[in-house]
Each structure stands twice: as C-alpha cells, then as structure tokens.
Amino acid sequence: DGERVEVLLNATTRRSATGAIVGVVDVGQDISARKNAETRVSMLAADLRLLIDSANAPIIGIDAFGCVNEWNNKAAEITGYAKDEVVGCYLVRDFIIDEYKTAVNGVLHKALEGSETDNFEFPFVTKSGERVEILLNATTRRDTTGKVFGVVGVGQDITELKRGQAELTRVANDLQLLIDTANAPIFGIDTNGFVNEWNRKATEITGFTTDDVMDKDLVRTFITPEYQDSVGEVLHKALQGEETANFEFPLYTKDGERVEVLLNATTRRSATGAIVGVVDVGQDISARKNAETRVSMLAADLRLLIDSANAPIIGIDAFGCVNEWNNKAAEITGYAKDEVVGCYLVRDFIIDEYKTAVNGVLHKALEGSETDNFEFPFVTKSGERVEILLNATTRRDTTGKVFGVVGVGQDITELKRGQAELTRVANDLQLLIDTANAPIFGIDTNGFVNEWNRKATEITGFTTDDVMDKDLVRTFITPEYQDSVGEVLHKALQGEETANFEFPLYTKDGERVEV
C-alpha cells in the first residue's frame, strides 16, 4: 500500500555445517509505533520549549543545587539579564537582594522538598539597577520516576500593580484625613443604618465621641422622635440611590443642647457600584442662620465633588458621529441620548468658533494622539453656555484598530466663574494695598522686601525698585534699631504678632521718620 514501516534490524552471518558462510539471517522489529511516539514527544517538547520561551510571564527554573537552568524571554526582558548570563549561576546568591535571600531560599527549599508555594511576592533588582516586584508560584519539578530534580517558578511582573495599590492607599488615606479634619460634621451609615463614619467636627458639635456612636442606629439613637421619620426617609432614599441636598433637622448633643444641622445625604458606593451606605456632610447652622449662603456654597462644592465621580462621557465613531452619551452628559447639556446618537458631534453641537479646535482634537485622537484637559464651551439645549474640560482618548477594538474616540469631561463652568471672582478679589486687594493712605510693606521668610506700597514710597523716597528683594532690617533700619526691629519681625515669622511698635526709618534723603 506504499506505507512506510520503521524496522530495527539485527544482521547475523549464516554458515554451513563446515563453517562456510552461506548467507545472512536478519531478525527485525517493527518500531513504527515507537518512532511515531518519539516524534510526538519531540514535537511536544519543542512546543513546551516554545511555550516557555514565548510566554508573556517570566519563567525561572533551578536545579537541585539552586542553580538557574530555566530563564525564558520574558524573564530576560523584565530583568535585563540574558539567559546565557544567568544559567549555571546561583539564583538566590547572585540575583536576590540581601533582605529577601532568606525568604526566597526558604520557598525554593520547600519546593525542592515537594511543598509548593503560590503567590509569593519578592523584589528583583534588574541589570540596570531598577527594582521590579515579582509575584511567583514555585512548583516542584520531577522526572518520569517522580524524583525531584528542581523547581520551576512562573511569575508575574506586578510593579505597576503595586504602584497603583500604593497610590490608591495614599488617596484613601488623604480622603480619610480630609473627612477627619474637615471643618464640617461628616458622618456615615451602613446599609442597616448603623454609624460607620464620625469625624472630629461631628464630635466637637455633638459631644459624642467615635466610640459613643460607632455601630449605633443613627436615627433611633441620636435623632429626636419628631424628626426620626423624616431623617429616616432621607437616609432610606440615599440608600436607594436618591440623594438629598440641604435637608435641615435638629440634633441633640450629649449635654442635651439642640444643634441645627443642614445636611447633604450622599449615596456611598463600592468600587463595583454597589450601594454600601450613606455619607452625610452637614453644617452647624444653629447660631448663624444668616450664613445660609456660605452653607449653600459648601453644599455646591460637595455636590461638584460628587458629580465629578459621575463625569459626562461622550463618544464618537470613526466618522465623528455620536455613539456614547451618558446620563451626566444628558443632564449637563439638556440633550437626551436618543437626540444625539448618530448625529455629528462637531457639526451639530459645537459652536462655530470652536468647531475647528474640537474637530482637530478628535481627529488627532482618531489617529492615536490623545489630548488631556482640553477646554471648550458647549451651548445647552436651553441656550446656556457651559464650560467643559475634556480628555479625548482613542478607542480601540480588541485587535488594536481605532474605531472611535471617548471623551471624559468635567463641567467647569462654576470653577471658571470662581476663578474670575478670585482674580477680581485679588486685584481689589492689590489695589487696596497700593492706594492705602498708610505705608504698607512686607517681607518674605528671609527678611527680604516683597511688598512696598505707594505711601511707603512717598514717606521714605525709596521706590519699589529701590527696595524689592533687599534685606529690610540691614538695608533700611538704622543700626541702633536693627536688633529690636529684627526681633519683632522674627517673632511675627514664628506667628507671634506685635502691635504699635515704634521705630525710626530714614528716608532716601537721610531724614528721620518715626513709624
């Protein structure tokens, strides 16, 4: 039939009775099946070698003596050491930093005894001196008889993950510090209505410490009976995702005094979006009902903070047509999703003077060049102008092909107005200093002049250019008063202020002026 058969042959000389050679006898064995099996094993070994070498995870192996005998391409890429630089070297002795030698050696020794370890973390210093964090699974390596002849470790470079975890921890600590030190009472409840957050200001206002309130029913324990139903309803709504702003109710302190609280109840969610409780940010408005404007500003700031976590998200396809429009975008612009999807974002919704700029940003993103913090105005459905701060990010499919752009934005209208107001106030204050009918001068922490108004120039004859960045005491105060004036300024730099201190100041013309 033309099939190939592999034969293992023994050739034996054949002799006659007289010893003469009369031929050869061949005794063979059909080894086709064995040869096929060997071929499959060789192919499997080659596949495994290719899998190890090309794996997107570092794979490191040692023999029974702790010497490296496996080092794949990813291990070389992460560490900077080529395979021929490490094979035959002692892994722990030659490549693990001192403080981790004992721990890593212990894991490998256990694996050599048959006790494997999962998810062991240790740092590795690369050839270039950088530190990378490795998460390793140490697996016992055995021969066909079951005898242990080494360890293979399959790892993962978790350097960026560790940095991300450290950053998340920092942010969480910062937020907790913000809550603890905020100049407004902040308290929270879990889904059962039990207190799980109570900051210092809440303690200061009510007299109840954290230990007094933690894990207690907020409404039934600390709210007066006539307000329990209304407060309970507000918290219940927040637990359903319906938040309440500027809700007023009385809270009684540990000493029985009544405190009026203006409350914002905000839904608290986990990283997955599940509701896990309510955070209440309040304000003691008992003695200052006339401060309701400031309280509203605080509520607006807190609302802005909450809304920033739920930012407007707008997406376009490769042709510039809207294909993403979340609830926040609808809320800000007044356009519902079904009114905008399929329409050209730039042509239909961006004002003429910004069409070119916005189109340029989106076009660049469609080419893979992303833009952060791009500001542009958007006119809402009702004709109002809102200022948007946008990050334009390229959108790709699983193959890496660009199929659109997604923009995560922020409504910064109020921020822009606030910045304009701050600029106006700063200008007013500077004008007040410059035009005041009294000499005003200032120094920095080194005692050098950094403020000198017109009246100071008029009295002393020294212009701003004459005095700026000069040592006030050593340059413009007479020697007999330098120590006393220097002491007054030093105290002020320590926070100890002085009123009505008299000393002589000599003008540019040498006249003495009492100040």
Side-chain angles (χ1 to χ4, degrees):
D1 296 329
E3 294 182 4
R4 176 177 173 138
V5 178
E6 298 289 338
V7 176
L8 182 67
L9 190 70
N10 292 316
T12 304
T13 304
R14 194 170 192 178
R15 299 177 185 272
S16 66
T18 64
I21 296 175
V22 296
V24 177
V25 175
D26 298 298
V27 180
Q29 180 70 37
D30 181 0
I31 59 169
S32 302
R34 191 186 81 185
K35 291 288 283 186
N36 289 339
E38 287 176 350
T39 300
R40 288 196 298 273
V41 169
S42 296
M43 290 175 63
L44 177 60
D47 287 345
L48 289 175
R49 169 53 54 195
L50 179 63
L51 175 63
I52 290 172
D53 287 342
S54 62
N56 197 31
I59 298 177
I60 301 169
I62 61 165
D63 59 22
F65 302 101
C67 294
V68 177
N69 58 5
E70 200 70 69
W71 193 266
N72 75 340
N73 295 339
K74 194 67 178 180
E77 175 189 331
I78 290 173
T79 67
Y81 290 104
K83 185 174 182 178
D84 56 8
E85 292 182 276
V86 298
V87 168
C89 297
Y90 288 98
L91 176 65
V92 174
R93 186 193 70 184
D94 298 334
F95 300 103
I96 303 300
I97 60 178
D98 291 342
E99 62 189 287
Y100 275 84
K101 286 186 189 298
T102 301
V104 175
N105 194 63
V107 167
L108 298 178
H109 183 71
K110 286 171 61 179
L112 286 170
E113 292 181 339
S115 178
E116 301 176 345
T117 300
D118 294 334
N119 299 332
F120 174 69
E121 292 184 28
F122 68 95
F124 193 104
V125 177
T126 68
K127 190 175 182 178
S128 61
E130 296 178 7
R131 175 173 172 142
V132 292
E133 299 290 336
I134 301 295
L135 182 68
L136 193 74
N137 292 325
T139 305
T140 304
R141 205 169 187 181
R142 302 174 186 272
D143 61 19
T144 54
T145 66
K147 181 181 177 181
V148 174
F149 70 90
V151 177
V152 65
V154 181
Q156 185 67 39
D157 180 0
I158 59 169
T159 308
E160 292 303 317
L161 176 63
K162 294 279 282 185
R163 288 174 184 161
Q165 289 173 337
E167 178 63 11
L168 285 174
T169 300
R170 184 193 66 77
V171 171
N173 291 337
D174 287 349
L175 290 175
Q176 188 60 52
L177 181 63
L178 174 64
I179 289 172
D180 287 343
T181 60
N183 197 32
I186 299 177
F187 48 91
I189 60 166
D190 59 22
T191 53
N192 297 312
F194 296 148
V195 177
N196 59 7
E197 197 74 67
W198 192 264
N199 77 338
R200 297 175 190 173
K201 195 66 178 180
T203 296
E204 178 186 326
I205 290 174
T206 66
F208 291 107
T209 66
T210 304
D211 291 339
D212 293 331
V213 300
M214 278 295 175
D215 299 321
K216 301 289 197 314
D217 189 308
L218 176 67
V219 174
R220 300 304 165 199
T221 309
F222 302 103
I223 307 299
T224 56
E226 67 269 24
Y227 276 87
Q228 287 183 355
D229 289 343
S230 58
V231 174
E233 182 180 359
V234 167
L235 298 178
H236 178 71
K237 285 182 177 179
L239 286 170
Q240 303 303 310
E242 184 180 345
E243 301 175 349
T244 301
N246 299 335
F247 174 70
E248 293 185 24
F249 71 97
L251 191 67
Y252 280 89
T253 70
K254 197 170 186 178
D255 297 331
E257 296 181 4
R258 177 176 172 134
V259 177
E260 296 290 337
V261 177
L262 182 68
L263 190 74
N264 291 317
T266 304
T267 305
R268 197 171 195 176
R269 299 177 184 270
S270 68
T272 63
I275 294 173
V276 295
V278 178
V279 173
D280 302 297
V281 181
Q283 184 67 34
D284 178 6
I285 57 171
S286 307
R288 48 188 180 94
K289 282 286 190 179
N290 60 341
E292 287 181 353
T293 302
R294 290 196 298 274
V295 173
S296 296
M297 289 176 63
L298 173 63
D301 288 343
L302 292 172
R303 170 56 54 197
L304 179 62
L305 176 63
I306 293 169
D307 287 345
S308 68
N310 190 21
I313 299 176
I314 301 170
I316 62 165
D317 60 22
F319 303 102
C321 295
V322 177
N323 59 7
E324 283 294 349
W325 195 267
N326 75 342
N327 293 338
K328 197 64 181 179
E331 176 188 330
I332 290 174
T333 66
Y335 291 103
K337 185 174 183 178
D338 56 9
E339 294 181 275
V340 298
V341 168
C343 297
Y344 289 98
L345 175 65
V346 175
R347 186 193 71 184
D348 299 334
F349 299 103
I350 303 300
I351 61 178
D352 290 342
E353 62 189 284
Y354 275 84
K355 285 187 190 296
T356 301
V358 175
N359 194 62
V361 168
L362 298 178
H363 183 71
K364 285 171 62 180
L366 286 171
E367 292 181 338
S369 178
E370 301 176 345
T371 300
D372 294 334
N373 299 332
F374 173 70
E375 292 185 27
F376 68 97
F378 194 105
V379 177
T380 69
K381 191 174 183 179
S382 62
E384 296 178 6
R385 176 175 171 137
V386 292
E387 300 289 336
I388 300 296
L389 183 68
L390 191 76
N391 292 325
T393 304
T394 305
R395 202 170 188 182
R396 303 175 186 270
D397 62 20
T398 53
T399 67
K401 181 182 178 181
V402 175
F403 70 92
V405 178
V406 63
V408 181
Q410 181 64 43
D411 178 2
I412 59 169
T413 308
E414 292 302 318
L415 177 62
K416 295 279 279 189
R417 289 175 186 162
Q419 288 173 337
E421 177 63 14
L422 284 175
T423 300
R424 185 193 66 77
V425 171
N427 291 337
D428 287 349
L429 289 174
Q430 189 60 49
L431 181 62
L432 174 64
I433 290 172
D434 287 343
T435 60
N437 197 31
I440 299 176
F441 49 89
I443 61 168
D444 59 21
T445 55
N446 296 312
F448 296 148
V449 177
N450 58 7
E451 197 73 66
W452 192 265
N453 76 342
R454 298 176 188 174
K455 195 65 177 180
T457 297
E458 177 186 329
I459 290 174
T460 66
F462 290 107
T463 67
T464 304
D465 291 338
D466 292 333
V467 300
M468 277 297 173
D469 299 320
K470 301 290 196 312
D471 188 309
L472 176 66
V473 174
R474 301 302 166 200
T475 309
F476 302 102
I477 306 299
T478 57
E480 67 270 21
Y481 276 87
Q482 286 183 356
D483 289 343
S484 57
V485 174
E487 183 180 0
V488 168
L489 298 179
H490 178 73
K491 285 182 177 179
L493 286 171
Q494 303 302 313
E496 183 180 343
E497 299 173 353
T498 301
N500 300 328
F501 174 70
E502 294 183 19
F503 67 96
L505 192 66
Y506 279 87
T507 69
K508 194 171 185 177
D509 296 332
E511 296 180 7
R512 175 174 174 137
V513 179
E514 297 292 336
V515 178

